[in-house]
Amino acid sequence: MDQYVCISRDVKLGRDVKLSKFINLYGCEIGDETKVGAFVEIQKNATVGRRCKISSHTFICEGVTIEDNVFIGHGVTFINDSYPRATTEEGELQTEADWKVERTVVKKGASIGSGATILPHTCIGENAIVGAGSVVTRDVPPNTIVVGNPAKILRHIDQSLEVK
């Protein structure tokens, strides 16, 4: 790796992973043949599956699991804390001991459009599509398209009509 890529020693990279410049990876796992775009950060205890595409300027925080064949658009943000605070009740800066990671799962074959925000405690179902700029506040059923803020079901995907 070169000076424009920051990858800690505890990162597990699969076979034929493609990494752009200006990325920050630490304590995460990335599956075979996945492509990670520029200006992406993937934190510790996050997992990205095989044959995924993570587009530029995306933030994947601790506690996020992305399964195989998932597309993540540009500038997607995952959140792992429903009630973030800078300080404790005593006024001291919070540490990891002061909060609990809230998990998020993106199931196989899902796609998340550019600029989407994914709140914690959500599951994006298999082959679901999250529209660009949407804010996912609750689970997305498999084979559905959701859009808006908060994201609502636009329609179900008829698998038999999709172009292969």
Side-chain angles (χ1 to χ4, degrees):
M1 297 296 147
D2 62 35
Q3 65 201 25
Y4 300 110
V5 176
C6 182
I7 301 176
S8 68
R9 295 175 198 252
D10 57 358
V11 171
K12 295 178 185 169
L13 293 177
R15 176 181 45 80
D16 297 326
V17 171
K18 292 179 179 53
L19 302 174
S20 295
K21 291 186 176 189
F22 307 108
I23 60 172
N24 186 24
L25 309 176
Y26 55 96
C28 61
E29 186 172 339
I30 300 174
D32 298 343
E33 302 174 33
T34 287
K35 182 179 179 183
V36 179
F39 303 103
V40 168
E41 179 169 334
I42 305 176
Q43 294 185 329
K44 68 180 180 179
N45 302 319
T47 303
V48 178
R50 301 173 65 192
R51 293 175 306 284
C52 294
K53 182 177 180 191
I54 311 299
S55 301
S56 70
H57 298 86
T58 288
F59 176 69
I60 301 172
C61 56
E62 180 176 5
V64 173
T65 298
I66 296 172
E67 294 184 353
D68 297 342
N69 307 320
V70 169
F71 172 81
I72 307 290
H74 300 279
V76 172
T77 302
F78 289 85
I79 298 172
N80 64 3
D81 188 349
S82 296
Y83 301 99
R85 296 286 185 255
T87 58
T88 64
E89 289 181 16
E90 296 78 29
E92 300 295 322
L93 280 177
Q94 280 194 350
T95 67
E96 285 189 39
D98 296 312
W99 65 281
K100 181 177 177 253
V101 172
E102 299 175 46
R103 304 202 53 80
T104 298
V105 177
V106 181
K107 295 286 192 173
K108 180 179 177 181
S111 293
I112 301 176
S114 294
T117 301
I118 314 300
L119 272 59
H121 289 303
T122 56
C123 177
I124 297 173
E126 216 170 285
N127 300 313
I129 298 174
V130 175
S134 295
V135 178
V136 174
T137 60
R138 59 181 172 245
D139 290 350
V140 176
N143 302 305
T144 59
I145 300 172
V146 298
V147 297
N149 180 6
K152 292 185 167 72
I153 295 175
L154 177 66
R155 68 178 175 88
H156 295 276
I157 301 169
D158 184 346
Q159 299 286 4
S160 65
L161 298 177
E162 281 194 27
V163 177
K164 301 287 182 194

